[in-house]
Amino acid sequence: MSRPTIAEVARAAGVSVASVSRVLNGLPATEEMVVRVQRAVQELGYVPDSRARSLKVGRTFQLTLAVADVGNPVYVTMMRAVEEVVSAAGYRLVVTTTGSDVVDEVALVRGMARGYADGLVISPLRVDDDLIKSIRECDVPVVVAGNVPASAGVDTVRANSPKGMALAVEHLLTKGRDRIAFVNGPVDTVPGAARAKGFADALKQYKLEAAGAIEADDFTFAAGRAAGQEFFKTNRPNAVICANDLLAVGVMHELAAYGLAVPADVAVIGMDDSELAEQSFPPLTSVNLGSAERGRRAAELLLARIDDDSRKPKRIVVQPTLSVRRSTP
Amino acid sequence: MSRPTIAEVARAAGVSVASVSRVLNGLPATEEMVVRVQRAVQELGYVPDSRARSLKVGRTFQLTLAVADVGNPVYVTMMRAVEEVVSAAGYRLVVTTTGSDVVDEVALVRGMARGYADGLVISPLRVDDDLIKSIRECDVPVVVAGNVPASAGVDTVRANSPKGMALAVEHLLTKGRDRIAFVNGPVDTVPGAARAKGFADALKQYKLEAAGAIEADDFTFAAGRAAGQEFFKTNRPNAVICANDLLAVGVMHELAAYGLAVPADVAVIGMDDSELAEQSFPPLTSVNLGSAERGRRAAELLLARIDDDSRKPKRIVVQPTLSVRRSTP
DNA sequence: ATCGTTCTTGTAATCGTTTACAAGCCAGAC
DNA sequence: GTCTGGCTTGTAAACGATTACAAGAACGAT
């Protein structure tokens, strides 16, 4: 059966549509009016059509979070944090996944016409001028959870991965591990580039040489395994830092396959400190890049901008901490 | 700057709004008309307002997938499958999370007014009469990925977890493990109940006694650890079946803590065969309950029902297989 | 030259809400 | 008794698209 409209409710209650709308939106009305309308609503099982409503009021009360890969547990952490903030503000959160290709991201932002959502938090893997252009032209507010140039003029919340790298390297050095290898994700991604630079800087700071660096095809478990396979045949570092937890777990599987013990033979450090770090075996020492806090603050920034679009863009940097677990000595 | 409407495009192109709409929707028009409209569209950066469009045409071209917990990797598998099917059909998928409470699920279905999406795939943990009632009253099609009574009169796609249990028990028996324990999730959930019954039936079939059964508080890693902690102090099964992969991984951590080797001392089998089964160490033998196929078929059912709401409800059962990995001998 | 047919384009109604405005009603003050 | 002011309620115009219908143009056939 088809949904009743406000007109049918009005007819059933013997009042005008305007009165029904007013009662539903809690505007002043007599006791009797409220009762009549509510009874009619009850009886017909009326629920307002949100399309029509949002067409009129200009808001959908939906916010979108766009992430590259739902399989990456770091996004779970971020998603939970965002969800908490936006639902407290009376919005519902919808999550969509972009894939790691920048043209998909651009298409998503372009298609983010007013009408799908009132705002967008996007965590892009790859950033190019097209993406930045589409974000600026987007007619709903966009907050980037990630690193884009200040010139883009957009609210951002990003991690400090160089500092995170430094934490990881320092930790390994205090544990006496000085032959440190690095398994990165694709360096043409924003996090990949940042982490590569961070690793190089951290080593330079301690006047160390890298014991090897390898670029995985992707930020996934499978790519981590593949990277490990290629690498540990020939190289013998006593520690390896991975650009995220999935890569680290993939690498640990390969280490086991080559009969190397973690942490005794090789210490392993991941990044993101996702739920997977806790679940892996041995539990993974991981650089906490503050995904939860980044999610929370990105959501807050978005709400603030929806509230007032004229405020100048804010760029927040969340500082990392190290979660030490048993994959390091 | 505010988004231009179709009226402004029409004015800029010097044609009527109807013509603009027609060109945009690919209806027949002269070459010149097409060019003029497209240039105006280009120039103004016009994007149709999807609210207005869907108000008129009665469809949003969005479908919703509602899952209990985004942190559970089984939903990642399902989500990917659903996404693939619906995006091929020209819909966009939005994912929302309900939490494990049935009242949240009911609220979601109730609020699923026409206008948010054209259909819903829901995978409920707990089912009660209220939920079924809300599904029947929902004015957009709903497909349940899970087990609800046939009397509910709704399309469903469900797993055959008793059969899956039997596969797990058989596998253990052929490997000579006959003291089998069971770590279940909450038995007041639909999957919890199904798996409890499946386990009991499977044991009966082989005339075995359970070497212990324990009910975790939740289907999570933390609950798995807690369950293991409580359990392995006193009991000494040589195999344990867990109601999902997260629980299994939690249990394996506790086994390690008690110095028990997997699979040498205790074999472990999970259920869902999620990405985590592959990522865990040792890789987890897991009952594949066909999450991907369930997702795919649920999506297909939903599309079919959107197409024709009069067809009678279909109830699909997906058969399980066993993915043997190294957590069993 | 006139008529009918076909094709293109414009006008206006519509989807289901919200809300500005007007109108009606009642009470209280003079 | 009339008038003012405050409430309540109804009428109708939006919001931005789609689309039924009508009107006009072009063109061939008689």
Side-chain angles (χ1 to χ4, degrees), chain A:
Chain A
M1 89 206 155
S2 176
R3 181 178 288 284
T5 72
I6 200 173
E8 298 172 48
V9 174
R11 192 145 33 81
V15 301
S16 75
V17 291
S19 299
V20 176
S21 174
R22 274 189 289 258
V23 169
L24 261 36
N25 293 25
L27 297 168
T30 59
E31 190 57 31
E32 199 216 336
M33 175 65 80
V34 173
V35 189
R36 290 174 71 172
V37 169
Q38 285 185 341
R39 191 166 45 215
V41 164
Q42 200 71 21
E43 235 157 58
L44 298 177
Y46 169 78
V47 179
D49 183 313
S50 52
R51 286 170 305 207
R53 174 166 214 284
S54 68
L55 172 59
K56 188 62 179 145
V57 302
R59 301 214 271 162
T60 61
F61 292 97
Q62 286 196 341
L63 299 178
T64 297
L65 172 64
V67 300
D69 172 21
V70 281
N72 189 333
V74 67
Y75 292 126
V76 172
T77 311
M78 190 173 280
M79 211 177 300
R80 289 211 165 104
V82 171
E83 155 84 60
E84 193 168 328
V85 174
V86 306
S87 73
Y91 288 84
R92 72 171 66 193
L93 180 69
V94 313
V95 178
T96 74
T97 125
T98 58
S100 66
D101 199 343
V102 70
V103 305
D104 294 338
E105 291 168 345
V106 172
L108 179 108
V109 178
R110 285 256 157 75
M112 198 68 212
R114 186 167 60 217
Y116 281 122
D118 299 339
L120 170 68
V121 175
I122 187 170
S123 178
L125 266 188
R126 294 171 221 261
V127 172
D128 66 3
D129 290 347
D130 260 12
L131 181 64
I132 289 174
K133 187 153 163 282
S134 70
I135 289 174
R136 305 183 71 153
E137 285 172 356
C138 188
D139 63 348
V140 301
V142 177
V143 172
V144 175
N147 201 347
V148 297
S151 60
V154 46
D155 291 311
T156 63
V157 182
R158 64 174 215 269
N160 186 342
S161 51
K163 178 109 171 275
M165 273 297 172
L167 287 178
V169 170
E170 277 164 26
H171 175 67
L172 290 171
L173 289 178
T174 63
K175 299 296 179 179
R177 300 298 170 102
D178 53 359
R179 297 200 311 283
I180 305 175
F182 179 42
V183 175
N184 198 359
V187 358
D188 67 335
T189 62
V190 175
R195 284 160 207 194
K197 180 168 184 320
F199 182 67
D201 288 355
L203 288 193
K204 199 186 304 169
Q205 188 184 344
Y206 293 100
K207 304 199 190 343
L208 279 179
E209 293 278 309
I214 183 166
E215 180 181 342
D217 288 339
D218 212 338
F219 285 101
T220 60
F221 172 75
R225 291 200 69 157
Q229 219 152 42
E230 194 181 316
F231 187 67
F232 291 98
K233 282 176 208 162
T234 51
N235 297 57
R236 284 295 143 102
N238 57 16
V240 51
I241 298 176
C242 301
N244 79 357
D245 291 342
L246 278 171
L247 288 171
V249 172
V251 164
M252 287 206 291
H253 272 256
E254 287 309 309
L255 290 174
Y258 290 110
L260 295 170
V262 175
D265 297 323
V266 182
V268 178
I269 297 189
M271 295 192 106
D272 282 342
D273 198 19
S274 62
E275 296 178 352
L276 184 61
E278 195 187 358
Q279 294 164 11
S280 85
F281 197 87
L284 182 67
T285 294
S286 188
V287 178
N288 186 327
L289 293 172
S291 340
E293 189 182 349
R294 268 145 63 212
R296 189 166 58 69
R297 305 203 61 178
E300 288 167 355
L301 237 42
L302 185 61
L303 291 173
R305 179 155 300 282
I306 287 172
D307 202 47
D308 170 15
D309 194 29
S310 69
R311 49 203 293 289
K312 78 183 234 283
K314 215 162 173 178
R315 296 169 60 77
I316 295 177
V317 180
V318 172
Q319 296 306 327
T321 58
L322 188 69
S323 295
V324 178
R325 298 199 182 81
R326 301 219 313 280
S327 69
T328 50

Side-chain angles (χ1 to χ4, degrees), chain B residues 27-28 76 113 124 126 145 172 204 229 240 246 281 314 322:
Chain B
L27 295 168
V76 171
R126 294 170 222 261
L172 290 172
K204 201 187 300 169
Q229 218 153 44
V240 52
L246 278 171
F281 197 86
K314 214 161 173 178
L322 187 69

